[in-house]
Amino acid sequence: MVEAEPRRATELRSYRALAHPLRLRLLSLLTGAPLSSAEAARELGETQANISYHIRLLYDAGLLELAEETTVRGGRAKRYRHPVDGPTLPAGSPEDHVAVASALASEMVRRSGHRVPGLPGDLTDAELTVRPETWERARALAAELGRIVHEEALPPGTEGAVRMSATVLLFRMADEERGADPGGEPGTDPGASASGGAAREAR
């Protein structure tokens, strides 16, 4: 119990750190290859000062790890990466969840503008009632999908590779009629998660 509160504080910082489109882009970029703030700034077309600020927030939240330190022009440069197995995200408050969803939506709009015309994709959008075992199976599949795309991520510009977008935001919803989740109070679902993944598009 002594470590519970510090751990939860770190988890909540991790959750809130996701609620910014640029930080989501950084996490994607630093999954494929460890980069310094200067290198990441060049890749994203941002200033080094701005990228350094966001990298520091992500690092403090436990979403980035220091991969290496190198010598650049006589100075030291730190390269960071986003580990495949990051911290488990708690449910967070309803406000936190909405903020993360808003950042994800903003990123989906930006990425959609870069979709290759004429090529098929996958899409699923659903608000359904299912059995508990179906919910757990869906969570497991989403987690596996996230692991696959993150473990196989390559550095930007890798010859023969394809650039892809993947987003899954999977969570339990409160019962509309009674205003409470059958498994607990609203906003406290331990199964809520955000992970990289793909969806299904009818075609």
Side-chain angles (χ1 to χ4, degrees), residues 6-177:
R7 184 182 300 116
R8 178 164 177 77
T10 298
E11 289 176 342
L12 288 174
R13 284 198 301 273
S14 298
Y15 200 91
R16 291 164 183 167
L18 293 173
H20 194 288
L22 182 55
R23 291 198 283 274
L24 292 175
R25 294 183 68 190
L26 272 170
L27 290 176
S28 292
L29 180 65
L30 298 176
T31 296
L35 298 173
S36 67
S37 58
E39 292 166 334
R42 286 193 293 270
E43 286 287 341
L44 298 178
E46 297 282 341
T47 66
Q48 184 175 346
N50 192 28
I51 292 298
S52 294
Y53 168 76
H54 288 292
I55 283 180
R56 184 167 61 252
L57 286 179
L58 291 169
Y59 179 77
D60 290 343
L63 292 169
L64 293 180
E65 62 185 19
L66 181 61
E68 61 181 356
E69 290 192 46
T70 60
T71 301
V72 180
R73 299 188 183 91
R76 301 291 293 175
K78 295 181 178 180
R79 287 196 173 106
Y80 296 88
R81 66 183 170 199
H82 177 43
V84 173
D85 295 321
T88 300
L89 296 178
S93 70
E95 292 79 11
D96 289 336
H97 197 68
V98 169
V100 171
S102 178
L104 288 168
S106 177
E107 262 300 273
M108 289 177 67
V109 170
R110 182 192 65 81
R111 295 176 191 172
S112 294
H114 296 277
R115 180 172 179 172
V116 178
L119 294 184
D122 294 285
L123 167 68
T124 289
D125 177 68
E127 181 180 332
L128 306 170
T129 299
V130 299
R131 295 184 181 279
E133 55 268 27
T134 302
W135 157 248
E136 293 300 337
R137 183 184 175 207
R139 281 192 65 210
L141 289 171
E144 176 64 15
L145 194 52
R147 281 192 294 271
I148 289 172
V149 296
H150 282 81
E151 288 175 355
E152 300 294 331
L154 300 170
T158 298
E159 186 176 356
V162 298
R163 189 178 173 205
M164 64 170 285
S165 173
T167 301
V168 169
L169 182 61
L170 188 67
F171 53 91
R172 284 182 55 181
M173 299 180 66
D175 184 271
E176 286 187 325
E177 294 182 0

